[in-house]
Amino acid sequence: MQLNSAYQFPLFLPYHIPIEEKSYLSLKIEKTTFIAWFDTIYFEDSCEEDISELTSTNPNTKHKKTYLEIILLSEDEVELEPNLSVFNAGLTEVLKWLNHLILNLKIKTRNLKIERLTRKHLPTGMLCEYFNPFEWSKRIKFSTITNLNEKENIPILSKSEWDWVVSDSFREDHSLFPFTRPENFALKSLNNFKLGRFQDSVIFIQLSVESLFKLYYLFYARVNNIDENKSDKIISNYRNLIEHTAKKYLEGDWMLVKSNELLFSYWNTTYNLRNKIIHSAYEPIYSETVNAIKAGLDLKRLISKSLKKFGGIDKLVNGYYSENYCYASELFYNDSSFSNEKQAQEFIDSKFNNETRDNTTT
């Protein structure tokens, strides 16, 4: 076995896993060998003021988290400088195999804080080193983007926006207000995506769309005095609700055929992926999750745009939604962390190629 190139980088887990300090794990997958060295970081949250007279509880709390030093050793031909594609492929494999260990530790220890690790748990940037294993002292330091989540400043609500929030929060008919729950489910989907919980992200975006179909129907049933038992039976058959009942309260054709692009895409992307997760515990990857969110949000917008006029629903829709008929959709399309995989890779490559790489000796 000829090891020709190596990448070394740190991983800071967002929690502590109970592995003995300075333990290590070595694993060979095809032409790449992974070495993970485990350690623990101790830190303390302290209270600057002396409040001992006010409470008997110690305000100074100690915490610990797990730190890993990862080395990727490759048998591929040695290169003069780091190859970002090779590094990203290696990092993906590290996370994949590390998660086998992490999830079994969660089960064995019954520690709910331990969860599957994804790039979404990593810092935005990472400082790494590239070197030839036969020349450990000669290293090339480089930085790369590992996580596209970006911090943002949220502007203060205007008076009109505040009035809108208050008005919709305390409506007398709030139980019939068919927007809040689907929108909340959609935002939960985006939040879970940013936390790296791709299964939950897909489940919540599917729940957002399904609840919107059903809540609009229940509003329609209330206006038209449809028997509650009949309504329960109708919404219990989701596909039948879409194909045969939705046309009563939505404009257009809602048959699940390829010509209905947004509906067909949602059913075969979001809905089917959700079923795969629920029935076989499938773990979707980044690109599958993004595509499922996109298909769900695109259909969600179409549903609200297609509502027929009944019971003043058109005024409620226009009073609640913005022009895009979906607040989560606006967030999704204006946040780089939801870029598709190709766009994300192009973004990473552009950042990497603009970096100044210094040859350093350590």
Side-chain angles (χ1 to χ4, degrees):
M1 180 176 67
Q2 179 72 34
L3 298 175
N4 292 320
S5 61
Y7 294 84
Q8 185 171 352
F9 56 92
L11 283 182
F12 296 89
L13 302 190
Y15 42 75
H16 178 255
I17 54 179
I19 295 178
E20 186 176 347
E21 293 181 18
K22 306 193 185 329
S23 298
Y24 76 92
L25 175 70
S26 178
L27 186 66
K28 187 178 187 302
I29 306 296
E30 297 180 351
K31 291 186 176 183
T32 303
T33 299
F34 310 121
I35 300 175
W37 183 79
F38 296 83
D39 206 349
T40 301
I41 297 176
Y42 297 86
F43 59 96
E44 180 176 280
D45 290 338
S46 59
C47 180
E48 295 181 359
E49 301 294 333
D50 181 8
I51 57 173
S52 57
E53 294 182 358
L54 303 177
T55 176
S56 58
T57 303
N58 183 2
N60 302 321
T61 57
K62 293 183 178 181
H63 305 276
K64 54 185 178 181
K65 293 185 178 180
T66 295
Y67 164 80
L68 284 82
E69 190 73 26
I70 304 291
I71 298 181
L72 298 180
L73 298 166
S74 175
E75 296 177 29
D76 292 331
E77 292 185 9
V78 66
E79 300 186 27
L80 297 178
E81 61 181 24
N83 184 318
L84 192 61
S85 296
V86 172
F87 171 79
N88 276 316
L91 177 59
T92 299
E93 285 297 306
V94 166
L95 294 178
K96 172 185 174 181
W97 290 100
L98 186 60
N99 276 321
H100 289 298
L101 175 70
I102 288 174
L103 294 182
N104 276 306
L105 278 168
K106 177 177 184 176
I107 293 169
K108 185 68 175 178
T109 63
R110 296 170 290 281
N111 185 343
L112 299 180
K113 292 182 179 180
I114 298 176
E115 60 182 343
R116 184 175 180 273
L117 189 67
T118 75
R119 286 175 180 262
K120 298 301 174 184
H121 296 99
L122 304 182
T124 301
M126 180 185 292
L127 184 62
C128 314
E129 292 186 337
Y130 172 77
F131 59 95
N132 184 323
F134 296 98
E135 298 181 276
W136 282 72
S137 62
K138 296 181 180 179
R139 301 181 174 226
I140 298 174
K141 289 187 176 181
F142 67 96
S143 59
T144 183
I145 304 297
T146 56
N147 179 0
L148 293 181
N149 289 346
E150 298 176 355
K151 294 181 179 179
E152 59 182 341
N153 294 319
I154 301 176
I156 299 298
L157 291 177
S158 66
K159 184 180 184 304
S160 61
E161 290 171 328
W162 169 250
D163 291 341
W164 177 90
V165 170
V166 172
S167 174
D168 283 331
S169 297
F170 302 100
R171 301 177 61 91
E172 291 184 6
D173 59 346
H174 199 275
S175 62
L176 290 174
F177 201 50
F179 315 110
T180 309
R181 277 175 286 174
E183 201 67 36
N184 185 40
F185 289 143
L187 293 175
K188 282 187 175 182
S189 172
L190 300 188
N191 185 55
N192 275 288
F193 177 86
K194 287 201 168 191
L195 293 173
R197 299 166 183 163
F198 295 161
Q199 287 179 322
D200 291 339
S201 181
V202 174
I203 291 170
F204 273 114
I205 195 61
Q206 154 56 25
L207 188 56
S208 174
V209 176
E210 184 169 343
S211 64
L212 195 61
F213 267 118
K214 292 180 176 180
L215 287 170
Y216 278 152
Y217 168 74
L218 291 176
F219 192 97
Y220 169 83
R222 169 77 177 257
V223 170
N224 290 276
N225 298 313
I226 297 175
D227 181 75
E228 186 175 337
N229 291 329
K230 182 178 179 180
S231 292
D232 289 343
K233 186 176 181 180
I234 288 174
I235 65 174
S236 67
N237 188 329
Y238 185 40
R239 179 162 185 162
N240 188 70
L241 170 69
I242 295 174
E243 290 196 309
H244 301 291
T245 307
K247 61 186 178 182
K248 295 181 179 180
Y249 58 96
L250 299 176
E251 300 286 355
D253 176 14
W254 292 89
M255 296 301 293
L256 280 163
V257 293
K258 197 168 185 178
S259 57
N260 288 340
E261 184 178 350
L262 295 183
L263 178 60
F264 189 81
S265 175
Y266 152 77
W267 192 265
N268 289 282
T269 303
T270 313
Y271 185 73
N272 284 350
L273 183 57
R274 173 264 184 195
N275 287 347
K276 195 173 179 180
I277 292 169
I278 293 295
H279 299 303
S280 61
Y282 179 71
E283 187 69 57
I285 61 175
Y286 175 98
S287 58
E288 288 177 303
T289 309
V290 170
N291 290 336
I293 294 172
K294 180 182 183 302
L297 291 177
D298 287 349
L299 181 64
K300 185 171 176 292
R301 291 192 301 174
L302 177 64
I303 295 169
S304 292
K305 289 170 67 175
S306 302
L307 273 167
K308 294 180 178 180
K309 294 183 179 180
F310 55 90
I313 191 74
D314 53 321
K315 293 181 180 178
L316 287 176
V317 169
N318 294 331
Y320 184 82
Y321 284 122
S322 63
E323 294 179 358
N324 287 323
Y325 292 92
C326 178
Y327 296 106
S329 181
E330 293 178 359
L331 175 59
F332 177 82
Y333 283 106
N334 288 285
D335 191 323
S336 63
S337 65
F338 299 107
S339 304
N340 65 42
E341 201 165 32
K342 182 175 181 296
Q343 291 173 327
Q345 188 61 57
E346 290 174 350
F347 177 79
I348 290 171
D349 288 343
S350 67
K351 290 287 186 181
F352 178 76
N353 291 333
N354 290 331
E355 291 286 348
T356 302
R357 304 186 199 95
D358 298 323
N359 293 331
T360 60
T361 302
T362 57

